[in-house]
Amino acid sequence: MFEGLNFDAVTLPDQAEALRDEVRAFLADAMPVDCVADSNFNEGHDPEFSRALGARGWIGMTWPKRVGGAERSFFERYVVTEELLAAGAPVCAHWIGDRQSGPLLLRYGTEAQQQRFLPALTRGECFFSIGMSEPDAGSDLASVRARAKPVAGGWRLSGTKLWTTDAHRNHYMIALVRTEPTSENRHAGLSQLIIDLKDADVAVRPIRNMAGGEDFNEVVFNDCFIADDMLVGQPGNGWEQVTSELGYERSGPERFLSAFRVYVELVRVHGPEPDAPAAQLIGRLASHLMTLRQMSISVAGMLQAGKNPGVEAALVKELGNNFEKQLPELARLCVAQLADDHPFRQSFIRTLLHSPSFTLRGGTREILRGVIARGLGLR
Amino acid sequence: MDTLNLILDSAERIFADHCNKETLDASEAGTFATALWQVLADNGLTLLGLSESGTTAADAYRVLRLAATHALPVPLGECVLARQLLEGAGSVEGLDGVGTLGRAAAGQGMARDVPWARDCDWILIAPLEDRSDGDSQTLTLLTAQECTVQHGINLAGEARDVVVFEAGAGRTVQCSTSPTEILEQLALLRVVQMAGCLARTLELSIEYAQDRVQFGRPISKFQAIQHQLAVLAGEVAAATRAADGALERLGDPRFQVQLAVAKARVGEAAGVAAEIAHQVHGAMGFTHEHQLHHYTRRLWAWRDEFGNEAHWQRQLGRRLAAVGADQVWDFITRH
């Protein structure tokens, strides 16, 4: 078979399964009463809930103890994340720091950066955003124009980041910026900087999305000073650094569980003895979900083994995003007309209105298909 | 290298050396692949999963998946399952020649869709339905002389015959494997065969796209084709994982659920994959001369055999509905 298409058998270890019961018990108590269960990881920004998770040791749980981590396996992290999403818990505040910024700092950050940020991240007290897209750089990420010029003691940064989720309520952003002029190698001369989102020279403007929410933002850097110690890794190495984390970013359960609460309500509407078409749809969706779950757990196994499964992760995301978009579309046809305040409709409407973002965030469908095609040797 | 990999390695050489487009065409024209069968028997591949072979039932399925990457036009899977059933029933006396497995309703004396019955020396008939009294089941072992065979084929041109026999014909064997379990074994056989066929379909499509030049470059360089192949690869990867998931749970309480997942998911992938593979292959893949249709027609045929996607989706859906909305997640994580 081809490189990147093998999803080896992985069974979650007993330790991880034991943790599942703990997470469920925790959720039974800690789910905020006013929280609308939503499995979309971008919904539900609740610092208090994140701090409660941090107190349990469930943020940064694979990280070393010296930075506040719990030194647990990727399988244990997998179980915690999927349980939170399936329950529709508000995980947005700490999600990016836990999934991406933390692992990036662990891999490329200095000891001082790790000590400064990671313990606070694991306590659920420090939240990170990702600064990649710009007005003229979306899928073509290497065309970023935010420019940091070296000055005494650091950098002066000018430019604009776009679609930055929660920049208006998070503390820091790790931004990919150009630190050297563009050369023939478009991937050269990019660097990653940690930006304090509360800096007076950083202007954050929320952008209302079509679902009515204000989660993402435009972030403008007005000749903002960034101290030397806020550079992550090597100057000019930004491209390699951002692409090294794609296995983490693209393979997790948040790539196929976003519409899960709609599924729960679909099952509820039909009760214990569904008619044949409803039973068929409930089963069909489960056959996809259970397969995706096995694929995602298999990637967790590769991460645990220290591999960087970029193509496998792209496959999970491509299949998973299509599934989470299809789920509400198929479910609606299988439910009789209900008032919009019915729990099924509530969940359906929320999910449908956010669904365009599923195949955009974290790499568009088109970019992922390109990654897969490269894995097949076509590019 | 472990034993299974050694077997897979040598099986791959045997399949590649003894089954090609001519073998497949000849089989469809009515000539049984006798030479191929002889090589399979000589190399012990008809005894897979039996204790004397040193392989497990799961190993057998893995070899049968590999066989499907060459579309072997013989009832190897059915023969292997029949021998395993007989061994499980304590009836191990040597059976020679070509054998197959069919199913018949009690007292009816007729089994439909029996693979290659016309070319078989023996046919094992298993019961179609569970007995209401829960008693042990009766298998009937027929020789070619003890039945009449009416020829039929499936849409892939594989022999699917009707076997008619008289009450009391053949040798009866009591067996503790239920008809439902036998159906599950047969469904799993088609699941792994489809997984093998899907892998081959992807391989053929990639090779073709890299060889075929239009507008001055291989069509694999066009983004439209790359994306189609990426979708195909996703379906193959998902189907492979679903099939493996069922194999890994063989003999475990979670098996029934995972089999339903696999037959439903792999069957769905079969339709998508066949469609894309043909689109990528253009008119060439629509010809009889090209080998693609031997794989795509099998995908189309096998997804309908032993319960199509809808059948297994409903079965799975009813189980989930029965546990209730607030327990579906628990059900999913425990399987």
Side-chain angles (χ1 to χ4, degrees):
Chain A
M1 278 269 277
F2 306 90
E3 199 69 21
L5 289 190
N6 293 317
F7 291 82
D8 290 341
V10 171
T11 306
L12 290 170
D14 292 344
Q15 248 174 319
E17 287 295 350
L19 189 53
R20 187 185 302 287
D21 297 331
E22 252 183 82
V23 180
R24 288 182 188 174
F26 165 81
L27 284 169
D29 282 344
M31 266 296 267
V33 265
D34 57 343
C35 170
V36 183
D38 189 332
S39 296
N40 180 354
F41 74 94
N42 261 0
E43 289 297 297
H45 193 282
D46 186 338
E48 198 187 327
F49 184 80
S50 293
R51 277 196 299 276
L53 283 179
R56 287 299 187 112
W58 293 341
I59 301 177
M61 52 192 295
T62 62
W63 308 348
K65 289 189 173 148
R66 65 174 175 82
V67 296
E71 299 190 357
R72 303 185 85 154
S73 69
F74 279 93
F75 300 120
E76 289 168 291
R77 180 178 182 274
Y78 180 88
V79 165
V80 171
T81 53
E82 75 168 358
E83 286 296 325
L84 293 172
L85 292 169
V91 294
C92 180
H94 67 274
W95 195 267
I96 296 301
D98 175 63
R99 181 186 73 193
Q100 227 157 324
S101 320
L104 181 81
L105 290 174
L106 265 180
R107 181 152 180 193
Y108 295 104
T110 61
E111 179 63 26
Q113 286 169 342
Q114 294 180 5
Q115 289 303 338
R116 177 172 171 191
F117 297 110
L118 298 181
L121 270 166
T122 62
R123 290 193 300 268
E125 291 171 1
C126 176
F127 305 132
F128 273 71
S129 292
I130 302 172
M132 292 206 196
S133 296
E134 294 185 3
D136 296 316
S139 286
D140 183 13
L141 183 60
S143 65
V144 293
R145 292 209 297 231
R147 183 74 203 274
K149 292 185 176 152
V151 293
W155 311 80
R156 283 274 171 198
L157 174 62
S158 296
T160 304
K161 289 291 172 186
L162 204 58
W163 322 130
T164 311
T165 301
D166 290 325
H168 59 314
R169 42 194 172 193
N170 287 351
H171 305 95
Y172 297 97
M173 167 202 276
I174 297 183
L176 181 70
V177 304
R178 186 154 283 291
T179 46
E180 290 158 41
T182 318
S183 62
E184 221 162 87
N185 178 2
R186 304 175 68 236
H187 298 155
L190 297 168
S191 305
Q192 286 184 292
L193 298 176
I194 305 170
I195 290 147
D196 181 351
L197 290 167
K198 310 298 179 202
D199 189 302
D201 295 324
V202 176
V204 178
R205 186 179 66 86
I207 302 170
R208 199 172 157 87
N209 68 36
M210 62 177 271
E214 290 189 347
D215 310 322
F216 59 14
N217 299 270
E218 178 190 66
V219 182
V220 179
F221 312 115
N222 296 309
D223 203 28
C224 170
F225 177 74
I226 312 288
D228 263 336
D229 64 0
M230 297 290 254
L231 171 77
V232 181
Q234 297 303 309
N237 196 40
W239 185 262
E240 190 195 306
Q241 292 173 200
V242 294
T243 51
S244 73
E245 305 298 328
L246 296 176
Y248 299 90
E249 188 187 341
R250 291 177 171 162
S251 68
E254 72 267 37
R255 300 308 182 185
F256 54 87
L257 281 178
S258 302
F260 183 69
R261 296 310 301 182
V262 181
Y263 184 70
V264 172
E265 296 309 323
L266 172 73
V267 175
R268 200 185 311 283
V269 164
H270 288 286
E273 287 176 1
D275 61 15
Q280 192 177 325
L281 179 61
I282 290 168
R284 179 181 177 195
L285 293 170
S287 75
H288 281 254
L289 176 53
M290 292 169 80
T291 302
L292 281 161
R293 192 171 166 268
Q294 288 185 36
M295 296 173 85
S296 182
I297 292 172
S298 181
V299 177
M302 299 177 208
L303 294 172
Q304 182 65 29
K307 297 178 193 161
N308 183 19
V311 177
E312 291 88 342
L315 278 163
V316 171
K317 187 174 182 304
E318 151 77 358
L319 288 163
N321 290 163
N322 291 336
F323 167 74
E324 56 189 15
K325 274 186 134 171
Q326 255 198 331
L327 193 161
E329 285 292 283
L330 295 169
R332 66 178 257 279
L333 295 174
C334 204
V335 170
Q337 200 166 352
L338 295 168
D340 275 354
D341 62 355
H342 186 280
F344 172 82
R345 289 290 297 176
Q346 293 263 299
S347 188
F348 166 78
I349 291 167
R350 269 177 85 94
T351 302
L352 185 67
L353 288 174
H354 285 92
S355 66
S357 70
F358 300 169
T359 44
L360 300 173
R361 61 189 184 190
T364 63
R365 168 190 289 156
E366 290 66 30
I367 288 295
L368 296 173
R369 288 184 180 171
V371 171
I372 297 163
R374 194 185 304 281
L376 296 174
L378 303 174
R379 298 175 63 199
Chain B
M1 200 186 265
D2 62 16
T3 318
L4 175 62
N5 280 320
L6 284 172
I7 296 171
L8 287 170
D9 244 35
S10 72
E12 169 60 27
R13 274 195 303 278
I14 292 166
F15 300 151
D17 289 350
H18 298 276
C19 181
N20 54 29
K21 172 80 172 138
E22 282 162 39
T23 324
L24 291 167
D25 287 339
S27 169
E28 285 196 45
T31 307
F32 186 67
T34 308
L36 168 63
W37 187 271
Q38 198 53 52
V39 178
L40 299 175
D42 290 347
N43 285 278
L45 292 170
T46 54
L47 304 175
L48 285 166
L50 301 186
S51 53
E52 64 178 287
S53 73
T55 53
T56 64
D59 292 343
Y61 283 114
R62 292 195 167 89
V63 178
L64 293 167
R65 164 159 63 191
L66 186 64
T69 66
H70 297 272
L72 259 56
V74 289
L76 180 62
E78 288 79 8
C79 177
V80 161
L81 289 183
R83 283 180 188 274
Q84 288 179 26
L85 277 175
L86 287 168
E87 186 181 67
S91 179
V92 289
E93 23 318 22
L95 280 173
D96 289 327
V98 184
T100 192
L101 178 61
R103 295 184 307 149
Q108 228 182 38
M110 182 170 73
R112 297 180 185 279
D113 296 324
V114 185
W116 284 278
R118 70 189 76 165
D119 301 304
C120 285
D121 301 298
W122 54 269
I123 300 161
L124 185 67
I125 303 293
L128 198 55
E129 291 128 11
D130 285 307
R131 281 171 59 141
S132 50
D133 57 10
D135 213 347
S136 73
Q137 309 292 334
T138 306
L139 304 174
T140 304
L141 183 62
L142 301 168
T143 62
Q145 292 73 41
E146 291 163 336
C147 58
T148 56
V149 174
Q150 299 158 13
H151 292 198
I153 54 168
N154 67 9
L155 75 80
E158 294 182 303
R160 293 289 185 266
D161 299 332
V162 179
V163 175
V164 180
F165 53 98
E166 307 229 337
R171 179 158 70 81
T172 56
V173 180
Q174 295 308 305
C175 136
S176 58
T177 312
S178 73
T180 300
E181 289 167 321
I182 293 170
L183 166 67
E184 288 166 357
Q185 291 176 10
L186 287 162
L188 179 59
L189 173 61
R190 291 295 181 266
V191 162
V192 300
Q193 288 178 316
M194 283 193 278
C197 239
L198 282 164
R200 184 81 174 122
T201 302
L202 174 63
E203 192 180 301
L204 288 174
S205 301
I206 289 175
E207 279 172 16
Y208 182 83
Q210 287 173 330
D211 288 346
R212 172 72 173 170
V213 174
Q214 287 289 274
F215 305 103
R217 49 186 170 148
I219 61 169
S220 66
K221 295 295 167 198
F222 289 96
Q223 202 174 46
I225 301 291
Q226 290 175 356
H227 285 201
Q228 287 299 301
L229 291 172
V231 173
L232 173 54
E235 291 300 307
V236 174
T240 306
R241 176 87 299 276
D244 278 335
L247 279 182
E248 289 149 15
R249 287 162 180 76
L250 202 57
D252 155 328
R254 300 170 303 169
F255 172 69
Q256 286 192 321
V257 166
Q258 184 60 36
L259 175 68
V261 167
K263 189 72 167 65
R265 185 64 188 87
V266 177
E268 220 179 300
V272 177
E275 198 275 336
I276 294 176
H278 276 292
Q279 187 64 20
V280 169
H281 275 81
M284 199 62 81
F286 187 56
T287 62
H288 185 267
E289 187 188 345
H290 198 281
Q291 59 175 318
L292 179 64
H293 65 87
H294 291 292
Y295 299 95
T296 52
R297 283 188 299 137
R298 277 171 172 74
L299 289 172
W300 283 331
W302 292 346
R303 64 183 177 166
D304 281 338
E305 293 181 344
F306 308 115
N308 64 13
E309 297 94 284
H311 169 89
W312 294 100
Q313 287 162 354
R314 280 195 296 272
Q315 192 175 100
L316 180 60
R318 291 203 175 100
R319 280 174 185 265
L320 281 152
V323 303
D326 292 321
Q327 294 301 316
V328 289
W329 175 249
D330 182 66
F331 180 96
I332 287 166
T333 59
R334 307 237 175 256
H335 286 89

